[in-house]
Amino acid sequence: MAVNGTLITVAPTGAETAKVDAPGLPVTLEELVSAATACEAAGAAVVHVHVRDHAARPTLDVALLRDTVAALRAQTSLIVQLSTGGAVSDSYEDRLRVLDAEPDGCSLTCGTVNFGDDVFMNPWPFMVELYRRTQEQRVVPEFELFDLGQVTAMRRLLDSCGEPYGGHVHCDLVMGVPGGMPGTAPALVAAVRALPADATWSATGVGRTSLPVALAALSAGGHLRVGMEDTLTFARGRPVRDNAELVERAAQLATLAQRPPVTPAAARDMLGIEERRPATVGVGTAVGTPLEES
Ligand code: KMH
Ligand code: ZN
């Protein structure tokens, strides 16, 4: 399928930034739903979710994750993807339990990577266990690839354990993390060349690599992930105001590239993600266009 539209994922919160350092960061459920609603109106189709506790600390509490999934489903049409990466301090057990919150999708990182001064741990046995559970619990994984070697690890996982739930491979190239692959066009092209031929992919440029990675991704036929998890500076010397302005800019770039944002419904078709909302619930303010085929 040739995809002419652009899937925009927003990653509004992350686990690394403190609210005092970024006042626009959504850390309460109310703030998260409000941000997600604004991002959907701006062109997002997927929300990648990390939640915070009452003190705005990152948490993988399953009850809170369940409430968050329910609230996002009630108030938006977005595909709800929970992070299984969590924070670098989270245990493997807690990260596996994220699936019990029954999201539409989840992230699944394909290897260990230096992460600034920390290490983001994803050893092979953990990857396999998480992947098997996504298959059993009917959660569609998105493969997070921080380095070229992680593309190989993803292919090994697919070869060893079979196709993902939903039947389609979608990856996100996470670029510009200190310790991972650089956020450059040559690195992006090298990673894309190594992907399975029928996979779709998006790219995320962390920090100042946000724009160059977005432009490279659009020109190479990829999709986009933006948000305050990854980027806190909108332009040199100008902090990001909120997530919606990052999505608006991504939507403008995609539209300029003549691949406008796709709706959440079209994104579900593309990613093989079933609708888990009750059929009678009418939600959403999506602005995207249907995917086109040629
Ligand atoms: N917070 C990072 C350690 C994911 O969401 O799956 C991991 C991360 C990746 O953000
Ligand atoms: Zn994340």
Side-chain angles (χ1 to χ4, degrees), residues 15-190:
E16 281 73 39
T17 301
K19 178 82 168 170
V20 309
D21 295 328
L25 194 75
V27 295
T28 66
L29 183 53
E30 198 182 9
E31 287 171 347
L32 179 62
V33 170
S34 166
T37 305
C39 289
E40 182 179 356
V46 178
V47 59
H48 167 85
V49 178
H50 292 250
V51 300
R52 302 292 178 99
D53 66 12
H54 62 279
R57 292 173 303 223
T59 177
L60 295 179
D61 179 81
V62 175
L64 198 49
L65 288 170
R66 269 189 186 280
D67 290 349
T68 304
V69 171
L72 288 167
R73 284 204 178 121
Q75 305 287 330
T76 78
S77 299
L78 294 167
I79 295 168
V80 182
Q81 178 194 88
L82 291 182
S83 166
T84 64
V88 288
S89 50
D90 285 318
S91 70
Y92 299 132
E93 292 72 26
D94 286 348
R95 291 169 59 190
L96 293 169
R97 267 196 292 272
V98 166
L99 303 187
D100 295 346
E102 300 181 50
D104 299 313
C106 71
S107 55
L108 193 162
T109 297
C110 290
T112 294
V113 62
N114 284 312
F115 196 81
D117 294 344
D118 297 305
V119 181
F120 178 30
M121 295 292 293
N122 296 282
W124 175 252
F126 171 71
M127 283 171 55
V128 170
E129 181 61 26
L130 178 56
Y131 188 57
R132 292 220 164 104
R133 291 199 193 190
T134 62
Q135 291 168 320
E136 284 161 20
Q137 297 186 232
R138 299 165 50 235
V139 177
V140 175
E142 176 182 281
F143 301 97
E144 308 296 323
L145 308 172
F146 287 70
D147 219 335
L148 190 53
Q150 294 192 5
V151 182
T152 309
M154 177 190 74
R155 297 188 74 129
R156 181 182 174 209
L157 190 65
L158 296 170
D159 287 346
S160 310
C161 302
E163 68 176 20
Y165 182 69
H168 177 72
V169 176
H170 182 72
C171 317
D172 182 41
L173 307 176
V174 187
M175 312 187 72
V177 169
M181 64 183 148
T184 63
L188 182 138
V189 168

